[in-house]
Each structure stands twice: as C-alpha cells, then as structure tokens.
Amino acid sequence: MLVFSFLALALSVLFVLNLLMGSVSIPFSDVWNILTGGVVQHAQWKFIVLETRLPQACTAILCGSALAVCGLLLQTAFRNPLAGPGVFGITNGACLGVAVVMLLFGGSVSLQFLQGGEFAAVMVAAFIGAMLVTGLLFFFSTLLRSNVMLLIVGIMVGYLSSSVITLLNYLATEQGVRSYMLWGMASFGGVSLRQLPLFVSLTVVGLCMAFALIKPLNALLLGDRYAQNLGINTRRLRHCLLLLTGLLCAVATAFCGPVTFIGLAVPHMARLMTGTANNRVLLPLTLLTGAVVALLCNWLCALPTGGMLPLNAVTPLVGGPVIIYVILMGNKGRLLE
C-alpha cells in the first residue's frame, strides 16, 4: 500500500534527522561511524548520539505509537471521535501521581531526580496515578451501561485530579512548582539508554495485545448486537480495552510526561489517509503515523539552536488543526442548514 511506503520512508528520514539535529550539529558520516562502531572526530559526539539522541528517537517512536493506538482503541470502543487518554482522565491521573511526589514533598525529591537523570520516583508515581484512575473507570464501567455516562465520569475524574493538582501547586514551594511545570511540558529525552529496554518491553507487550483485539474491534464497529451475535462479550471487551489503554498511557506518561494531542489527533490522520474503519489496516497505520508524528514533533523541538523547545509547545500545532478539521467535517451538514 502506497501510504505505508510513504510513512515508512518518512519514519526513516525523520529518525536520521533526529540523530543529526540538535544543539550540536554532527555530520551524517560521523553518525554512521558511531552507529557502526567506526572512528569519529570527537569523542563527545559518540556520547551525544548513543546516550541522548538514539534513546530519544526510539522513545519518540514507541511513545507516539502507544498514544496513537490508545486514542484509536478508545474512539472505537466508545464511538466518540473526541475520546482519548486525556479525555478519560487517565493522563490527569498520571499527572496527579507526579504532583504528589514533586509538590507534596516540597520539590526536593523531584529536583534530585531531574538533575541526576534518575526518574524512578516520577515514573512510579505517574504509573500508579494512571492505573488508579483506570481502575476507578473500570469500577464505574461495571455499574454504568451507557458509554456516554462513562465518558462523562472520566471527564469528571480528570477535573477532580486537576483540582487536587491546583491545590498542591498552591501549597508547594517554588522549587516544587518549577519541577512539576518542567515535567508537565513533556519530553522524549527522559529515557536513558539503561532505561530503554524496560520502556520498550512494556510498550511492545501492550501494542501486541492491541493487535490481538483487531477482530473483536472490527465486530464492534458494526454494533453491539452484531458483535454479540458473533459470540463477543462487548462489555468484557470494553473492559479489556480500558485496561489496555490505561497500561499504555501509564507507561508513556510515566516515562515521557503528559504528551498532548497525539492520542487524540493521530487516529483521525490515519482515517483521513485511508478512508477506512477496518482495524486490520487502520491499527497498524495509526501506529506508524503516531511514530512519524512523534519524531516530527521531536525534530521540530530541536530545530532552534540553544536548547530544546518543550514538546507540548509543538504537539498542539500538529494535532490541533486536525481536530478542528474533524469537528468541522462532522458538523458540515449543520453548518450548511
């Protein structure tokens, strides 16, 4: 398929650009020598490529893929084009967990991790917060039969989490507020080469589980009754999807921070490129598109000299227009009346 070939080419080009571009410009020949074990002009270039840019590019690919798949699963399961990890409050739960660590303890713990490159406490807190919200949504999903009501509950949980975070910000020290603000800007550079295998393992397992659900997801597209006639327990399927998206979102947010718009916008990009709802095509295309968009955003962050732009300053510029277009197309008939 032509679109897959184009995305694969874009992924390769952007991956190379992410290794070349940054505050220090490194020639392609030296990058190639570093990756193949050859001789380089400057020893520090090897450290920059292997310890910083390579893990950052790999993290962008996996995080973008995971968040995009999360968005697709939620939009398919709840038949809502604006469903996403942020809308259901899962991202807010991760932010609340990190806020407790960074703000409740005065910022001393978090600043030590940020300066020393050790993100263990932040990652654990984000993971626990996201999974707690997922567990809460799972509990409410056993009580509520309406998908719309569950979506509203998720939004309310997100608001409650934001309210507690605001209170913690008010009570925190200046160091704590600054640390939390920096984490909230999100970055693909928080995963070191030593932490990368754990991040890869967790993300790949979650993505493989998503691919295993392609057949029941396609049945769900034709309606609950059709899926039930095929022997699919739609209620249990939605529970599985909720837990799976919670896991993927928790891992991505724990390692990279609350990355915005990728999970919401990328599934729509994939639909616009193919014009199909068949998840056998749409799911791998969404995964690939998420990786490309994440690499593009990371590369755009590195373009200005003198430092990296915050990731969440760039992702809305890419995802925002897509969401506006989807909303306008969805209401095209109303606008014409």
Side-chain angles (χ1 to χ4, degrees):
M1 202 171 181
L2 184 61
V3 66
F4 279 99
S5 302
F6 171 76
L7 287 174
L9 178 61
L11 183 70
S12 303
V13 172
L14 285 169
F15 185 81
V16 173
L17 288 176
N18 273 266
L19 297 181
L20 296 175
M21 297 292 294
S23 56
V24 178
S25 181
I26 303 176
F28 176 80
S29 58
D30 287 286
V31 172
W32 176 259
N33 288 335
I34 291 171
L35 296 177
T36 56
V39 180
V40 294
Q41 298 181 24
H42 303 283
Q44 62 268 31
W45 286 358
K46 184 175 182 180
F47 177 84
I48 292 174
V49 172
L50 294 182
E51 298 292 335
T52 303
R53 295 184 184 177
L54 181 61
Q56 191 168 353
C58 294
T59 301
I61 291 174
L62 290 168
C63 183
S65 300
L67 292 175
V69 169
C70 282
L72 177 62
L73 295 179
L74 290 173
Q75 290 167 16
T76 301
F78 297 96
R79 299 180 185 175
N80 191 319
L82 297 180
V87 177
F88 273 87
I90 300 174
T91 303
N92 296 79
C95 293
L96 178 58
V98 175
V100 170
V101 172
M102 289 189 174
L103 303 177
L104 193 61
F105 296 103
S108 58
V109 175
S110 59
L111 280 177
Q112 180 183 356
F113 287 128
L114 288 171
Q115 292 173 355
E118 296 293 331
F119 288 85
V122 173
M123 289 188 294
V124 171
F127 185 83
I128 292 175
M131 292 311 296
L132 283 176
V133 171
T134 303
L136 187 62
L137 291 175
F138 181 83
F139 170 74
F140 279 110
S141 68
T142 62
L143 303 178
L144 301 173
R145 295 184 178 274
S146 172
N147 293 331
V148 176
M149 294 303 296
L150 184 61
L151 182 62
I152 293 174
V153 169
I155 294 173
M156 292 302 103
V157 170
Y159 279 130
L160 289 173
S161 300
S162 298
S163 177
V164 176
I165 292 171
T166 302
L167 179 61
L168 290 174
N169 268 298
Y170 179 77
L171 298 174
T173 63
E174 182 180 350
Q175 284 186 339
V177 173
R178 182 177 181 274
S179 297
Y180 183 75
M181 182 188 69
L182 291 174
W183 178 83
M185 293 178 180
S187 172
F188 294 132
V191 182
S192 66
L193 192 63
R194 177 174 55 85
Q195 298 165 337
L196 190 61
L198 176 62
F199 179 64
V200 171
S201 301
L202 293 173
T203 307
V204 169
V205 168
L207 292 175
C208 290
M209 293 171 63
F211 274 91
L213 295 173
I214 286 179
K215 186 175 179 179
L217 279 173
N218 278 340
L220 199 62
L221 289 173
L222 301 175
D224 286 2
R225 288 188 177 181
Y226 180 84
Q228 289 169 1
N229 289 335
L230 294 177
I232 297 173
N233 188 326
T234 56
R235 194 177 184 85
R236 184 181 302 170
L237 175 60
R238 287 190 172 91
H239 291 168
C240 292
L241 291 174
L242 192 59
L243 290 174
L244 178 57
T245 54
L247 173 64
L248 284 173
C249 180
V251 172
T253 307
F255 280 87
C256 306
V259 182
T260 59
F261 274 97
I262 290 182
L264 187 59
V266 169
H268 295 295
M269 294 180 183
R271 292 189 187 97
L272 291 173
M273 284 188 287
T274 60
T276 181
N278 184 359
N279 286 288
R280 294 187 183 278
V281 177
L282 191 58
L283 184 59
L285 186 66
T286 300
L287 185 151
L288 191 56
T289 306
V292 171
V293 169
L295 279 177
L296 175 62
C297 291
N298 193 64
W299 176 62
L300 292 175
C301 289
L303 278 181
T305 57
M308 292 281 292
L309 283 175
L311 183 61
N312 280 341
V314 176
T315 51
L317 299 178
V318 177
V322 176
I323 300 303
I324 294 173
Y325 176 80
V326 169
I327 293 174
L328 291 177
M329 290 298 101
N331 291 274
K332 186 177 181 181
R334 296 179 184 177
L335 293 173
L336 293 176
E337 290 178 355

